[in-house]
Amino acid sequence: MALDIVLGLQWGDEGKGKIVDRIGADYHCVARFQGGPNAGHTLYRDGRKHVLHQIPSGIFHPEVFCVVGNGVIIDPVTFCREIDQLDENDIPWRDRLWLSSRAHLILPTHRLIDRMSEEAKGDDRIGSTLRGITPAYVDKYAREGVRLGDLLAASYELRIEKALERHRTQLPEALWPNEETLAAFHAAVKRLREMAILNVEERLLDWHDQGAAILAEGAQGTLLDVDFGDYPYVTSSHTLAASACIGLGLPPQAVRRVLGVLKAYATRVGNGPFPTELLDERQEQLQRLGNEFGSTTGRPRRCGWLDLELIRRAARLNGVTHLALTKLDVIVQMPEFLVKETNGAYRSFTGWVEPPDASEPSAQAKEFVEFLSDNLGLPVSFLSVGPERDAVHCPAPWA
Ligand code: IMP
Ligand code: MG
């Protein structure tokens, strides 16, 4: 029993990556289990900003293995770009980044089909990141996808050609990817083939048998789950805790703790319901204070108040055992901020400025954490008060 899961309780961008980076060193392995390059996990290290899309946020701990599980879909071009960034920052990855042979590839045509179907929806569009996520998962479940393991066969190019050709019926000739795009794709696939592609579930099961601690890193958030989110305004994967088992090949009994990450306010990129959304100038104020612009698409995020009614539901769906509260330092810069309690009533708080380098949370921060913890009936084990790895307090034990 040593699988811990970190996941988002809102619409993504709760600060999961930062929390994973913070606790990652305590694990043998950090593994991604769903989603793909639609994700954007922002980490600050030595004052520098790093954005990860497909590589697990444990990568900055050189002694930790990083796994991209079978539930993830991989875009070879952007994946290689991320690898290049690791090299530029002298972050070693070669012997410790393992990719599941069962993970599916995103083809250049998937991205174009994604764009075409979003445009066709007009005002009903989802607000997708246009990374090809939905078409790639569609092909996976249609049993027509290309898996990483397929790249290991000598005839892998034929396999890709066939998959691309199948998309001819879905894409008008004028939208077909150009030579340059296809060449970049094929070059990235060649590089990907040289990486550690294996039946990674065997390793995970061995580690699990040996009692090694594994950290599963969720992407997006509970409210974007394909079944339990605001369908159709959702992503095309399961973002719930239960998805970690299927997305890695570990049994349910492996799960030990589930850390639900929530931001002290709420944001949503893309369309769909947002009950506590701010529709006045305070929305832009929060955007600015919290730098709420998509790390994948650069789009401004819709902002609103923390909704504990929704968080409560998310925590139950995921079997959350512990909470991590992020960006408290941002919300307290508002002169007044609201929180919707689990009973649907709003409670108002007067803002304060959190001392930036406090080694202990202030009395006001403690009080807020206590309110949250009481309302949700869960311990707050991490309290993030700034972007850096060290700007995290531990009000309750994480054990
Ligand atoms: P898709 O997953 O790109 O198809 O996008 C579907 C919806 O999920 C859109 O509203 C996106 O903005 C949202 N979404 C996808 N990935 C993320 C993420 O990592 N953070 C926040 N929102 C996301
Ligand atoms: Mg993000």
Side-chain angles (χ1 to χ4, degrees), residues 151-190:
L151 303 184
L152 303 179
S155 58
Y156 77 97
E157 281 171 312
L158 200 65
R159 173 102 203 175
I160 291 174
E161 270 328 305
K162 274 190 180 159
L164 288 172
E165 276 311 310
R166 271 196 296 269
H167 291 152
R168 288 258 181 217
T169 53
Q170 295 177 50
L171 267 182
E173 188 58 37
L175 291 183
W176 196 253
N178 62 30
E179 283 308 314
E180 200 183 326
T181 304
L182 288 171
F185 172 74
H186 287 296
V189 164
K190 267 207 181 90

Side-chain angles (χ1 to χ4, degrees), residues 11 13 38-40 126-129 133-134 220 224 234-235 269-270 299:
W11 290 280
D13 307 312
N38 48 349
I126 309 296
S128 156
T129 61
I133 304 298
T134 297
Q220 291 81 51
L224 289 170
V234 293
T235 190
V269 213
R299 290 179 289 176

Side-chain angles (χ1 to χ4, degrees), residues 20-40:
V20 169
D21 177 52
R22 162 75 189 201
I23 63 176
D26 298 334
Y27 292 83
H28 189 66
C29 160
V30 174
R32 279 276 310 268
F33 57 90
Q34 46 74 227
N38 48 349

Side-chain angles (χ1 to χ4, degrees), residues 67-70 98-103 147-150 152 196-206 248-249:
V67 161
V68 177
N70 53 280
W98 295 348
L99 316 178
S100 171
S101 54
R102 302 173 197 281
R147 306 204 290 180
L148 278 186
D150 293 330
L152 303 179
I197 299 172
L198 63 158
N199 290 348
V200 93
E201 71 277 9
E202 301 294 340
R203 300 288 175 98
L204 290 168
L205 285 165
D206 285 346
L248 296 173

Side-chain angles (χ1 to χ4, degrees), residues 104-116:
H104 281 244
L105 285 190
I106 301 176
L107 307 177
T109 39
H110 285 139
R111 293 176 71 125
L112 296 166
I113 293 168
D114 205 4
R115 180 174 295 276
M116 198 180 67

Side-chain angles (χ1 to χ4, degrees), residues 213-260:
I214 299 165
L215 186 63
E217 174 182 25
Q220 291 81 51
T222 300
L223 306 175
L224 289 170
D225 182 274
V226 65
D227 279 341
F228 298 98
D230 315 299
Y231 194 89
Y233 300 101
V234 293
T235 190
S236 293
S237 68
H238 285 289
T239 56
L240 300 190
S243 179
C245 291
I246 288 289
L248 296 173
L250 286 168
Q253 297 94 318
V255 180
R256 181 174 61 177
R257 298 183 287 223
V258 180
L259 180 60

